[in-house]
Amino acid sequence: MNPFRYRKFTLLIVAGFAFLLGLFGSCGLNGGDPSPRNIILFIGDGMGEAQVRAGSYYATGMEVGLSFQQFPVCSRVTTFSADNSITDSAAAATAIATGKKVNNGVLSVAIPGDGKPLETILELAKKQGKRVGIVTTTSLTHATPAAFAAHQLSRTDGFAIAQQMLYGTKPDLLFGGGGEGMDPALAQGAGYRVVTNKQGMVGLTFEDLPVSGQFGISHMPYEYEGLGDLPHLSEMTRKAFELLSQDTVGFFLVVEGGRIDHAAHRNDIQLLVREVIEFSRAIEVTFRWAKDNSRTLIVVTSDHETGGLQLQGSSEKGQLPEAHWTTTGHTGMVVPLYAWGPGSESFKANLDNTEIHTILYDILTKP
Ligand SMILES: [Zn+2]
Protein backbone atom coordinates (compact mmCIF):
# COMPACT_ATOMS: atom_id res chain seq x y z
CA MET A 1 0.00 0.00 0.00
CA ASN A 2 1.18 3.51 -0.74
CA PRO A 3 0.46 5.39 2.51
CA PHE A 4 0.93 8.83 0.97
CA ARG A 5 -1.62 8.19 -1.74
CA TYR A 6 -4.03 6.81 0.81
CA ARG A 7 -3.59 9.81 3.10
CA LYS A 8 -4.16 12.23 0.23
CA PHE A 9 -7.28 10.35 -0.71
CA THR A 10 -8.54 10.29 2.87
CA LEU A 11 -7.96 14.03 3.17
CA LEU A 12 -9.95 14.56 -0.01
CA ILE A 13 -12.83 12.50 1.35
CA VAL A 14 -12.76 14.26 4.73
CA ALA A 15 -12.68 17.66 3.03
CA GLY A 16 -15.57 16.60 0.79
CA PHE A 17 -17.66 15.49 3.74
CA ALA A 18 -16.85 18.63 5.69
CA PHE A 19 -17.95 20.72 2.73
CA LEU A 20 -21.17 18.77 2.39
CA LEU A 21 -21.99 18.92 6.06
CA GLY A 22 -21.44 22.66 6.05
CA LEU A 23 -23.46 23.20 2.91
CA PHE A 24 -26.49 21.09 3.75
CA GLY A 25 -26.28 21.41 7.53
CA SER A 26 -26.80 25.13 7.24
CA CYS A 27 -29.92 24.49 5.16
CA GLY A 28 -31.23 22.11 7.83
CA LEU A 29 -31.67 19.17 5.50
CA ASN A 30 -31.67 15.82 7.35
CA GLY A 31 -29.77 17.27 10.26
CA GLY A 32 -26.77 18.02 8.06
CA ASP A 33 -26.53 14.45 6.74
CA PRO A 34 -27.59 14.60 3.11
CA SER A 35 -28.91 11.39 1.67
CA PRO A 36 -27.60 10.43 -1.76
CA ARG A 37 -29.58 11.38 -4.82
CA ASN A 38 -27.78 8.81 -6.96
CA ILE A 39 -26.82 5.25 -6.03
CA ILE A 40 -24.40 3.19 -8.11
CA LEU A 41 -24.04 -0.46 -7.06
CA PHE A 42 -21.08 -2.34 -8.55
CA ILE A 43 -21.12 -6.14 -8.38
CA GLY A 44 -17.99 -8.09 -9.27
CA ASP A 45 -19.43 -11.52 -9.99
CA GLY A 46 -17.30 -14.20 -8.35
CA MET A 47 -14.94 -11.57 -6.92
CA GLY A 48 -13.56 -12.55 -3.53
CA GLU A 49 -10.76 -10.78 -1.67
CA ALA A 50 -8.01 -12.75 -3.45
CA GLN A 51 -9.45 -11.85 -6.86
CA VAL A 52 -9.25 -8.16 -5.89
CA ARG A 53 -5.65 -8.53 -4.66
CA ALA A 54 -4.69 -10.42 -7.84
CA GLY A 55 -5.98 -7.54 -9.98
CA SER A 56 -4.24 -5.02 -7.76
CA TYR A 57 -0.83 -6.76 -7.90
CA TYR A 58 -1.00 -7.03 -11.68
CA ALA A 59 -2.11 -3.41 -12.19
CA THR A 60 0.05 -1.72 -9.55
CA GLY A 61 2.47 -4.15 -7.89
CA MET A 62 0.69 -3.33 -4.61
CA GLU A 63 -1.77 -5.29 -2.52
CA VAL A 64 -4.11 -2.32 -2.15
CA GLY A 65 -3.76 -0.35 -5.37
CA LEU A 66 -7.14 -0.51 -7.15
CA SER A 67 -9.55 2.42 -7.19
CA PHE A 68 -12.20 0.99 -4.89
CA GLN A 69 -9.67 -0.43 -2.40
CA GLN A 70 -9.03 3.22 -1.43
CA PHE A 71 -12.64 3.83 -0.40
CA PRO A 72 -13.07 4.84 3.26
CA VAL A 73 -15.56 2.10 4.09
CA CYS A 74 -14.51 -1.56 3.77
CA SER A 75 -16.43 -4.52 5.18
CA ARG A 76 -17.29 -8.15 4.48
CA VAL A 77 -20.47 -9.84 3.32
CA THR A 78 -21.87 -13.34 3.85
CA THR A 79 -23.50 -14.87 0.79
CA PHE A 80 -25.29 -18.19 1.61
CA SER A 81 -28.64 -18.81 -0.10
CA ALA A 82 -31.89 -20.19 1.36
CA ASP A 83 -31.10 -23.78 0.41
CA ASN A 84 -27.31 -23.91 0.19
CA SER A 85 -24.24 -22.63 2.04
CA ILE A 86 -22.81 -21.94 -1.44
CA THR A 87 -24.95 -19.57 -3.44
CA ASP A 88 -25.39 -19.13 -7.17
CA SER A 89 -25.68 -15.71 -8.80
CA ALA A 90 -29.48 -15.81 -9.01
CA ALA A 91 -30.01 -16.28 -5.27
CA ALA A 92 -27.19 -13.90 -4.34
CA ALA A 93 -28.40 -11.11 -6.63
CA THR A 94 -31.95 -11.69 -5.37
CA ALA A 95 -30.72 -11.26 -1.77
CA ILE A 96 -29.02 -7.98 -2.66
CA ALA A 97 -31.91 -6.78 -4.83
CA THR A 98 -34.82 -7.76 -2.56
CA GLY A 99 -33.44 -8.45 0.93
CA LYS A 100 -34.80 -12.02 0.86
CA LYS A 101 -32.92 -15.31 0.78
CA VAL A 102 -34.22 -17.59 -1.98
CA ASN A 103 -33.17 -21.00 -3.29
CA ASN A 104 -30.35 -21.23 -5.82
CA GLY A 105 -31.55 -20.58 -9.36
CA VAL A 106 -34.52 -18.41 -8.29
CA LEU A 107 -34.88 -14.82 -9.55
CA SER A 108 -36.68 -12.44 -7.18
CA VAL A 109 -39.71 -14.57 -6.32
CA ALA A 110 -40.45 -15.93 -2.81
CA ILE A 111 -39.11 -19.50 -2.96
CA PRO A 112 -39.21 -20.73 -0.23
CA GLY A 113 -42.49 -18.94 0.40
CA ASP A 114 -45.60 -18.19 -1.59
CA GLY A 115 -43.78 -17.85 -4.93
CA LYS A 116 -44.91 -14.25 -5.37
CA PRO A 117 -42.67 -11.61 -6.99
CA LEU A 118 -40.39 -9.76 -4.57
CA GLU A 119 -40.02 -6.07 -5.35
CA THR A 120 -36.41 -5.24 -6.24
CA ILE A 121 -34.49 -2.19 -5.13
CA LEU A 122 -34.30 -1.08 -8.78
CA GLU A 123 -38.09 -1.32 -9.08
CA LEU A 124 -38.49 0.65 -5.84
CA ALA A 125 -36.13 3.36 -7.10
CA LYS A 126 -38.10 3.57 -10.32
CA LYS A 127 -41.39 3.76 -8.41
CA GLN A 128 -39.93 6.67 -6.48
CA GLY A 129 -39.34 8.52 -9.73
CA LYS A 130 -35.64 7.86 -10.18
CA ARG A 131 -34.03 6.93 -13.47
CA VAL A 132 -32.77 3.33 -13.33
CA GLY A 133 -30.27 1.33 -15.35
CA ILE A 134 -28.33 -1.93 -15.61
CA VAL A 135 -24.86 -2.40 -17.13
CA THR A 136 -23.19 -5.80 -17.40
CA THR A 137 -20.56 -7.71 -19.37
CA THR A 138 -22.68 -10.89 -19.39
CA SER A 139 -25.76 -11.26 -21.53
CA LEU A 140 -28.48 -8.97 -20.17
CA THR A 141 -30.73 -11.89 -19.26
CA HIS A 142 -28.02 -13.58 -17.15
CA ALA A 143 -28.77 -14.19 -13.46
CA THR A 144 -27.28 -11.10 -11.80
CA PRO A 145 -28.84 -8.42 -14.03
CA ALA A 146 -32.05 -10.46 -14.28
CA ALA A 147 -32.59 -10.55 -10.51
CA PHE A 148 -32.90 -6.75 -10.45
CA ALA A 149 -35.53 -6.49 -13.20
CA ALA A 150 -37.31 -9.84 -13.61
CA HIS A 151 -39.17 -12.40 -11.49
CA GLN A 152 -38.76 -16.03 -12.44
CA LEU A 153 -38.80 -19.44 -10.74
CA SER A 154 -35.75 -20.35 -12.82
CA ARG A 155 -32.83 -18.33 -14.14
CA THR A 156 -32.76 -20.42 -17.33
CA ASP A 157 -35.69 -18.93 -19.30
CA GLY A 158 -33.93 -16.09 -21.11
CA PHE A 159 -36.88 -15.12 -23.28
CA ALA A 160 -39.27 -14.77 -20.32
CA ILE A 161 -36.61 -12.74 -18.46
CA ALA A 162 -36.12 -10.43 -21.47
CA GLN A 163 -39.86 -9.88 -21.78
CA GLN A 164 -40.25 -9.03 -18.10
CA MET A 165 -37.27 -6.69 -18.21
CA LEU A 166 -38.38 -4.85 -21.33
CA TYR A 167 -42.15 -4.79 -20.91
CA GLY A 168 -42.51 -5.09 -17.13
CA THR A 169 -39.79 -3.39 -15.09
CA LYS A 170 -38.58 -1.38 -18.09
CA PRO A 171 -35.32 0.19 -16.86
CA ASP A 172 -34.32 3.42 -18.64
CA LEU A 173 -31.04 1.87 -19.67
CA LEU A 174 -29.83 -1.68 -20.36
CA PHE A 175 -26.25 -2.15 -21.58
CA GLY A 176 -24.71 -5.62 -21.91
CA GLY A 177 -24.44 -8.71 -24.05
CA GLY A 178 -27.44 -9.42 -26.28
CA GLY A 179 -29.01 -12.74 -27.20
CA GLU A 180 -30.07 -15.43 -24.69
CA GLY A 181 -33.69 -14.34 -25.16
CA MET A 182 -32.92 -10.64 -25.64
CA ASP A 183 -32.99 -9.21 -29.15
CA PRO A 184 -33.21 -5.80 -30.82
CA ALA A 185 -36.71 -6.33 -32.23
CA LEU A 186 -38.11 -7.32 -28.84
CA ALA A 187 -36.58 -4.21 -27.25
CA GLN A 188 -37.73 -1.92 -30.05
CA GLY A 189 -41.24 -3.32 -29.62
CA ALA A 190 -41.12 -2.16 -26.00
CA GLY A 191 -40.10 1.35 -27.09
CA TYR A 192 -36.33 1.07 -26.63
CA ARG A 193 -33.75 2.73 -28.83
CA VAL A 194 -31.31 -0.12 -29.58
CA VAL A 195 -27.60 0.11 -30.38
CA THR A 196 -25.26 -2.79 -31.05
CA ASN A 197 -21.73 -1.35 -30.96
CA LYS A 198 -19.59 1.27 -29.24
CA GLN A 199 -20.14 3.90 -31.91
CA GLY A 200 -23.90 3.58 -31.58
CA MET A 201 -23.65 3.79 -27.80
CA VAL A 202 -21.50 6.92 -27.85
CA GLY A 203 -24.11 8.65 -30.03
CA LEU A 204 -26.98 8.09 -27.59
CA THR A 205 -28.52 11.15 -25.96
CA PHE A 206 -30.89 11.73 -23.05
CA GLU A 207 -33.79 12.09 -25.51
CA ASP A 208 -33.19 8.50 -26.67
CA LEU A 209 -34.11 6.97 -23.28
CA PRO A 210 -35.10 4.20 -22.78
CA VAL A 211 -32.04 2.71 -24.44
CA SER A 212 -30.71 -0.80 -24.85
CA GLY A 213 -27.14 -1.58 -25.86
CA GLN A 214 -27.05 -5.19 -27.03
CA PHE A 215 -23.39 -5.93 -27.64
CA GLY A 216 -22.98 -9.32 -29.29
CA ILE A 217 -25.23 -12.34 -29.01
CA SER A 218 -24.14 -13.76 -25.67
CA HIS A 219 -21.70 -12.68 -22.97
CA MET A 220 -19.35 -9.92 -24.07
CA PRO A 221 -15.74 -10.95 -24.85
CA TYR A 222 -13.12 -11.16 -22.12
CA GLU A 223 -10.93 -8.07 -21.80
CA TYR A 224 -7.92 -10.28 -22.57
CA GLU A 225 -9.45 -11.31 -25.91
CA GLY A 226 -10.10 -7.70 -26.98
CA LEU A 227 -13.47 -6.03 -27.43
CA GLY A 228 -13.28 -5.07 -31.14
CA ASP A 229 -16.05 -2.53 -31.86
CA LEU A 230 -17.81 -3.26 -28.57
CA PRO A 231 -17.48 -0.94 -25.55
CA HIS A 232 -15.48 -1.75 -22.41
CA LEU A 233 -17.27 -1.93 -19.07
CA SER A 234 -15.79 1.44 -18.05
CA GLU A 235 -17.12 3.03 -21.26
CA MET A 236 -20.60 1.58 -20.78
CA THR A 237 -20.59 2.76 -17.17
CA ARG A 238 -19.51 6.30 -18.05
CA LYS A 239 -22.18 6.57 -20.74
CA ALA A 240 -24.78 5.20 -18.33
CA PHE A 241 -24.21 7.78 -15.60
CA GLU A 242 -23.85 10.58 -18.14
CA LEU A 243 -27.29 9.75 -19.58
CA LEU A 244 -29.08 8.96 -16.31
CA SER A 245 -27.73 12.00 -14.45
CA GLN A 246 -29.22 14.48 -16.92
CA ASP A 247 -32.50 14.24 -15.06
CA THR A 248 -32.68 16.06 -11.72
CA VAL A 249 -34.59 13.22 -10.00
CA GLY A 250 -31.47 11.12 -9.40
CA PHE A 251 -30.80 7.58 -10.49
CA PHE A 252 -30.09 4.02 -9.41
CA LEU A 253 -27.57 2.11 -11.51
CA VAL A 254 -26.31 -1.48 -11.18
CA VAL A 255 -23.01 -2.31 -12.87
CA GLU A 256 -21.86 -5.92 -13.02
CA GLY A 257 -18.35 -7.12 -13.86
CA GLY A 258 -19.86 -10.41 -14.88
CA ARG A 259 -16.95 -12.21 -16.48
CA ILE A 260 -14.75 -12.17 -13.39
CA ASP A 261 -16.84 -15.21 -12.38
CA HIS A 262 -16.35 -16.95 -15.72
CA ALA A 263 -12.57 -16.45 -15.62
CA ALA A 264 -12.54 -17.88 -12.08
CA HIS A 265 -14.62 -20.90 -13.13
CA ARG A 266 -11.90 -21.54 -15.70
CA ASN A 267 -9.22 -21.07 -12.99
CA ASP A 268 -7.53 -18.69 -15.43
CA ILE A 269 -5.59 -16.00 -13.57
CA GLN A 270 -4.64 -14.23 -16.82
CA LEU A 271 -8.29 -13.73 -17.85
CA LEU A 272 -9.25 -12.90 -14.29
CA VAL A 273 -6.84 -10.05 -13.58
CA ARG A 274 -7.86 -8.21 -16.77
CA GLU A 275 -11.54 -8.45 -15.79
CA VAL A 276 -10.89 -7.19 -12.26
CA ILE A 277 -8.79 -4.30 -13.57
CA GLU A 278 -11.48 -3.21 -16.04
CA PHE A 279 -14.05 -3.45 -13.25
CA SER A 280 -11.81 -1.16 -11.16
CA ARG A 281 -11.50 1.22 -14.12
CA ALA A 282 -15.31 1.47 -14.30
CA ILE A 283 -15.37 2.43 -10.61
CA GLU A 284 -12.54 4.91 -11.09
CA VAL A 285 -14.33 6.84 -13.86
CA THR A 286 -17.45 6.83 -11.71
CA PHE A 287 -15.58 8.12 -8.66
CA ARG A 288 -13.93 10.91 -10.68
CA TRP A 289 -17.39 12.07 -11.75
CA ALA A 290 -19.05 11.49 -8.37
CA LYS A 291 -16.57 13.52 -6.35
CA ASP A 292 -17.87 16.60 -8.17
CA ASN A 293 -21.49 15.41 -7.91
CA SER A 294 -21.32 14.80 -4.23
CA ARG A 295 -24.80 13.40 -3.66
CA THR A 296 -23.76 10.06 -5.14
CA LEU A 297 -23.25 6.85 -3.15
CA ILE A 298 -20.95 4.21 -4.65
CA VAL A 299 -21.13 0.66 -3.27
CA VAL A 300 -18.82 -2.06 -4.58
CA THR A 301 -19.31 -5.70 -3.64
CA SER A 302 -19.60 -9.23 -4.99
CA ASP A 303 -22.30 -11.88 -5.12
CA HIS A 304 -20.00 -14.78 -4.11
CA GLU A 305 -16.43 -16.02 -4.45
CA THR A 306 -15.54 -18.36 -7.33
CA GLY A 307 -12.59 -20.75 -7.48
CA GLY A 308 -11.48 -20.76 -3.83
CA LEU A 309 -8.57 -18.63 -5.00
CA GLN A 310 -5.48 -18.25 -2.83
CA LEU A 311 -2.43 -16.21 -3.86
CA GLN A 312 1.07 -17.45 -3.06
CA GLY A 313 2.92 -14.27 -2.09
CA SER A 314 2.86 -11.00 -3.98
CA SER A 315 3.86 -10.01 -7.51
CA GLU A 316 5.38 -7.09 -9.39
CA LYS A 317 3.33 -4.78 -11.59
CA GLY A 318 2.60 -6.54 -14.88
CA GLN A 319 3.40 -9.97 -13.40
CA LEU A 320 0.71 -12.54 -12.72
CA PRO A 321 0.59 -13.55 -9.06
CA GLU A 322 0.96 -17.27 -8.37
CA ALA A 323 -2.58 -18.61 -8.06
CA HIS A 324 -3.77 -21.67 -6.17
CA TRP A 325 -7.36 -22.66 -7.00
CA THR A 326 -9.31 -25.11 -4.86
CA THR A 327 -12.42 -25.55 -7.05
CA THR A 328 -13.87 -24.69 -10.47
CA GLY A 329 -17.16 -23.80 -8.73
CA HIS A 330 -18.36 -21.19 -6.26
CA THR A 331 -17.43 -21.13 -2.57
CA GLY A 332 -19.13 -19.90 0.60
CA MET A 333 -16.30 -17.48 1.46
CA VAL A 334 -17.19 -13.99 2.62
CA VAL A 335 -16.79 -11.32 -0.05
CA PRO A 336 -15.56 -7.75 0.33
CA LEU A 337 -17.65 -4.57 0.24
CA TYR A 338 -16.36 -1.03 -0.31
CA ALA A 339 -18.38 2.19 -0.15
CA TRP A 340 -17.90 5.90 -0.74
CA GLY A 341 -20.18 8.92 -0.53
CA PRO A 342 -23.22 9.97 1.50
CA GLY A 343 -24.76 6.96 3.24
CA SER A 344 -21.58 4.88 2.96
CA GLU A 345 -21.11 4.87 6.75
CA SER A 346 -24.07 2.48 7.02
CA PHE A 347 -22.02 -0.24 5.34
CA LYS A 348 -19.22 -0.13 7.94
CA ALA A 349 -20.15 -3.26 9.90
CA ASN A 350 -19.84 -6.73 8.42
CA LEU A 351 -23.10 -7.64 6.71
CA ASP A 352 -25.21 -10.39 5.28
CA ASN A 353 -26.00 -9.84 1.60
CA THR A 354 -29.69 -9.20 2.46
CA GLU A 355 -28.60 -6.23 4.60
CA ILE A 356 -27.23 -4.43 1.55
CA HIS A 357 -30.86 -4.23 0.46
CA THR A 358 -31.98 -3.12 3.93
CA ILE A 359 -29.56 -0.18 3.89
CA LEU A 360 -30.37 0.85 0.32
CA TYR A 361 -34.10 0.54 1.08
CA ASP A 362 -33.73 2.83 4.10
CA ILE A 363 -31.82 5.36 2.02
CA LEU A 364 -34.42 5.34 -0.76
CA THR A 365 -37.42 5.58 1.57
CA LYS A 366 -35.98 8.10 4.02
CA PRO A 367 -38.33 11.09 4.15
ZN1 LIG B 1 -20.53 -18.59 -11.44
Side-chain angles (χ1 to χ4, degrees):
M1 186 169 95
N2 179 337
F4 178 67
R5 190 174 161 199
Y6 187 75
R7 201 174 308 131
K8 246 176 83 181
F9 190 88
T10 310
L11 278 171
L12 178 75
I13 304 291
V14 170
F17 270 116
F19 170 72
L20 272 174
L21 287 172
L23 188 68
F24 292 100
S26 61
C27 303
L29 287 178
N30 295 326
D33 179 26
S35 57
R37 178 185 293 132
N38 313 311
I39 299 172
I40 310 183
L41 173 62
F42 286 90
I43 300 176
D45 199 310
M47 188 185 75
E49 287 174 348
Q51 283 80 352
V52 175
R53 287 206 315 277
S56 180
Y57 281 131
Y58 191 82
T60 69
M62 296 185 294
E63 187 175 357
V64 185
L66 296 180
S67 59
F68 53 92
Q69 290 178 292
Q70 321 297 323
F71 282 4
V73 173
C74 304
S75 59
R76 288 173 169 171
V77 180
T78 50
T79 67
F80 60 93
S81 71
D83 66 343
N84 204 309
S85 59
I86 298 177
T87 190
D88 81 324
S89 289
T94 296
I96 296 170
T98 73
K100 299 285 189 310
K101 297 277 187 193
V102 297
N103 292 349
N104 283 355
V106 172
L107 292 171
S108 295
V109 292
I111 303 285
D114 58 12
K116 289 193 175 144
L118 301 164
E119 183 178 61
T120 74
I121 198 77
L122 181 142
E123 290 165 336
L124 173 71
K126 183 171 170 150
K127 204 165 82 183
Q128 298 213 324
K130 293 199 183 294
R131 295 279 178 178
V132 297
I134 297 174
V135 174
T136 181
T137 50
T138 66
S139 61
L140 280 160
T141 56
H142 207 54
T144 306
F148 284 85
H151 306 270
Q152 288 288 317
L153 293 172
S154 164
R155 59 184 281 176
T156 55
D157 191 345
F159 182 67
I161 291 166
Q163 279 200 313
Q164 284 189 341
M165 278 180 147
L166 296 167
Y167 289 84
T169 304
K170 209 166 184 170
D172 298 283
L173 182 143
L174 289 167
F175 286 168
E180 315 287 352
M182 178 68 73
D183 75 65
L186 193 67
Q188 281 157 357
Y192 280 79
R193 169 79 185 269
V194 177
V195 295
T196 56
N197 57 30
K198 179 172 157 178
Q199 200 187 357
M201 183 192 80
V202 168
L204 291 172
T205 66
F206 178 72
E207 286 71 34
D208 292 321
L209 296 178
V211 295
S212 174
Q214 299 181 18
F215 306 119
I217 50 161
S218 180
H219 305 317
M220 294 180 67
Y222 286 108
E223 280 292 318
Y224 185 67
E225 296 170 338
L227 275 283
D229 66 349
L230 304 179
H232 294 277
L233 183 65
S234 55
E235 294 169 331
M236 293 193 284
T237 303
R238 183 202 298 269
K239 189 68 188 181
F241 66 67
E242 281 176 1
L243 289 174
L244 297 175
S245 64
Q246 284 182 43
D247 212 333
T248 54
V249 293
F251 65 88
F252 177 84
L253 174 66
V254 187
V255 178
E256 186 201 21
R259 305 223 66 193
I260 298 169
D261 177 59
H262 299 160
H265 277 292
R266 288 169 61 162
N267 289 178
D268 189 326
I269 193 75
Q270 175 76 268
L271 290 183
L272 178 103
V273 294
R274 307 295 175 107
E275 293 303 312
V276 172
I277 291 166
E278 180 58 23
F279 182 66
S280 173
R281 216 170 270 141
I283 297 157
E284 195 175 333
V285 298
T286 306
F287 172 72
R288 284 203 186 134
W289 170 82
K291 67 182 170 41
D292 300 323
N293 292 270
S294 43
R295 288 190 65 183
T296 299
L297 168 65
I298 303 175
V299 180
V300 181
T301 191
S302 171
D303 53 353
H304 54 73
E305 197 272 348
T306 303
L309 177 61
Q310 290 163 3
L311 301 181
Q312 314 292 322
S314 59
S315 74
E316 301 290 314
K317 181 177 175 177
Q319 300 287 315
L320 291 171
E322 198 184 323
H324 177 66
W325 304 90
T326 56
T327 173
T328 55
H330 298 173
T331 71
M333 290 163 75
V334 292
V335 293
L337 181 145
Y338 311 84
W340 176 88
S344 60
E345 290 287 299
S346 308
F347 293 92
K348 243 164 130 178
N350 291 340
L351 302 165
D352 181 61
N353 56 7
T354 54
E355 293 174 298
I356 297 171
H357 173 272
T358 310
I359 296 168
L360 294 178
Y361 183 92
D362 285 349
I363 290 171
L364 281 171
T365 55
K366 219 190 270 179

